[in-house]
């Protein structure tokens, strides 16, 4: 029997650069109130959201991804031609095939990398980061571009009082490359499919095509059920990620949870007993919930504003539709 040559990868992987793109249109709560019976005070108290960004017709999933990717590649100090893999996490690219990752790879000038999309909702960035780490360590790629991108305004029911104010658009990207020391910890990830109905699309695409429903599909959720799950269960997952990395909350510099809701973020901080010195991402206030894009967008803003710095140790956790989750500890680029 022939022996297969072992893979020649890197001992470890790291995030080398980060970039983000936020659509130019800023939408305050007052715009949302034109279609739902609520108030600015109620929206802020329930979610912490004051504004969000909505994409124009020109700000497509591909366009926003390309802008974010260019920044991440430049930040990593490499060229597009060096990219060996492109992973895009999104639920709002409306073409079933081909994967938008292939278009992005071509338009950034990446040559002929492996390119594919994944659908893991708000945990999508964590899933993509884990896959990229595996590619680098295994040796099938040296530099992998991981993108989280959403145009959730296309899937928002502006008459749904429970969700109309939640969602925003944007793209975040990181470059994952080789490292001589561990800078992306073990991932704690999983799913709870018995709760899949708590966050979902209102109707399947084919129901709309058949004309059995008149309204375009939108996102809907059971808010209280999701809140309880996120607050009580995801703090446990976050702690497991700390344990897997061999550190405690006192060793953290930064906490970057999925930007779903300010009350969820604050509750997780309290449950995890994070020390006061830990910087907590609260990008949701001005960006809303951008699903797979929320963690890299928040990471980019913290670094750009000086609230976090290169070399900081950060805990990142994403959670959402599925219900799925992914948490890991990383060193910031």
């Amino acid at each position: 029997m022939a022996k297969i040559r072992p893979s020649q990868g890197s001992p470890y992987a790291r995030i080398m650069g980060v970039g983000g793109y936020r659509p130019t249109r800023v939408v305050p709560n007052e715009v949302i109130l034109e279609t739902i019976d609520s108030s600015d005070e109620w929206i802020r108290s329930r979610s912490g959201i004051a504004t969000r960004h909505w994409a124009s017709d020109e700000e497509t999933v591909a366009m926003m991804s390309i802008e974010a990717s260019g920044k991440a590649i430049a930040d990593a100090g490499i060229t597009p031609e060096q990219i060996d893999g492109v992973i895009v996490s999104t639920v709002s690219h409306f073409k079933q095939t081909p994967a938008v990752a292939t278009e992005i790879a071509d338009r950034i000038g990446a040559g002929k990398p492996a390119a594919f999309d994944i659908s893991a909702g708000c945990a999508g960035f964590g899933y993509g980061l884990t896959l990229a780490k595996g590619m680098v360590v295994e040796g099938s790629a040296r530099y992998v571009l991981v993108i989280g991108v959403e145009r959730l305004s296309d899937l928002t029911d502006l008459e749904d009082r429970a969700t109309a104010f939640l969602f925003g658009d944007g793209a975040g990207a990181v470059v994952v490359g080789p490292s001589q020391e561990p800078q992306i910890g073990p991932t704690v990830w999983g799913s709870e499919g018995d709760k899949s109905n708590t966050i979902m699309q209102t109707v399947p695409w084919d129901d709309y095509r058949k004309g059995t429903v008149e309204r375009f599909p939108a996102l809907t959720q059971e808010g209280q059920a999701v809140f309880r799950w996120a607050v009580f269960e995801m703090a446990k997952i976050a702690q497991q990620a700390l344990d897997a990395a061999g550190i405690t909350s006192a060793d953290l510099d930064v906490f970057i949870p999925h930007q779903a809701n300010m009350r969820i973020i604050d509750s997780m901080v309290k449950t995890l007993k994070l020390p006061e010195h830990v910087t907590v991402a609260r990008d949701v206030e001005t960006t809303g919930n951008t699903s797979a894009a929320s963690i890299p967008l928040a990471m980019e803003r913290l670094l750009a504003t000086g609230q976090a710095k290169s070399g900081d140790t950060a805990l990142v956790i994403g959670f959402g539709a599925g219900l799925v989750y992914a948490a890991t500890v990383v060193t910031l680029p």
Side-chain angles (χ1 to χ4, degrees), residues 222-264:
E222 298 176 12
Q224 286 301 315
V226 173
F227 180 86
R228 288 193 297 270
W229 176 77
V231 168
F232 295 109
E233 298 303 321
M234 290 305 98
K236 298 176 186 176
I237 299 301
Q239 183 60 56
Q240 290 176 30
L242 291 174
D243 295 342
I247 66 172
T248 69
S249 59
D251 298 314
L252 284 177
D253 300 303
V254 185
F255 178 44
I256 311 178
H258 166 48
Q259 302 295 293
N261 181 301
M262 194 74 79
R263 291 196 301 153
I264 292 175

Side-chain angles (χ1 to χ4, degrees), residues 278-298:
V278 177
T279 297
V280 179
R282 291 188 169 88
D283 196 43
V284 66
E285 180 181 5
T286 57
T287 306
N289 181 344
T290 56
S291 189
S294 78
I295 290 175
L297 277 174

Side-chain angles (χ1 to χ4, degrees), residues 33 36 63 67 115 127 132 150 177 201 219 248 261 276 301 315 319:
L33 297 175
I36 61 171
M63 176 271 188
E67 290 294 322
Y127 275 52
E150 302 292 2
Q201 187 171 299
L219 295 175
T248 69
N261 181 301
E276 290 187 5
R301 174 162 282 176
L315 169 63
F319 44 86

Side-chain angles (χ1 to χ4, degrees), residues 151-231:
R151 274 181 54 120
L152 295 183
S153 57
D154 292 335
L155 288 168
T156 299
D157 180 353
L158 294 178
E159 296 179 4
D160 181 359
R161 189 173 184 270
T163 62
F165 57 90
L166 288 176
F167 302 118
D169 304 335
V174 299
V175 172
V176 176
S179 175
Q180 292 304 306
E181 56 185 36
Q183 295 193 35
I184 301 176
T187 299
V188 177
W189 56 354
S191 64
E192 298 185 29
D194 60 317
K195 301 178 182 67
S196 60
N197 289 338
T198 55
I199 305 175
M200 61 185 296
Q201 187 171 299
T202 49
V203 295
W205 295 113
D206 54 353
D207 280 3
Y208 182 73
R209 181 185 64 183
K210 294 172 185 175
T212 54
V213 294
E214 295 183 357
R215 300 195 69 167
F216 193 75
L219 295 175
T220 185
Q221 69 175 30
E222 298 176 12
Q224 286 301 315
V226 173
F227 180 86
R228 288 193 297 270
W229 176 77
V231 168

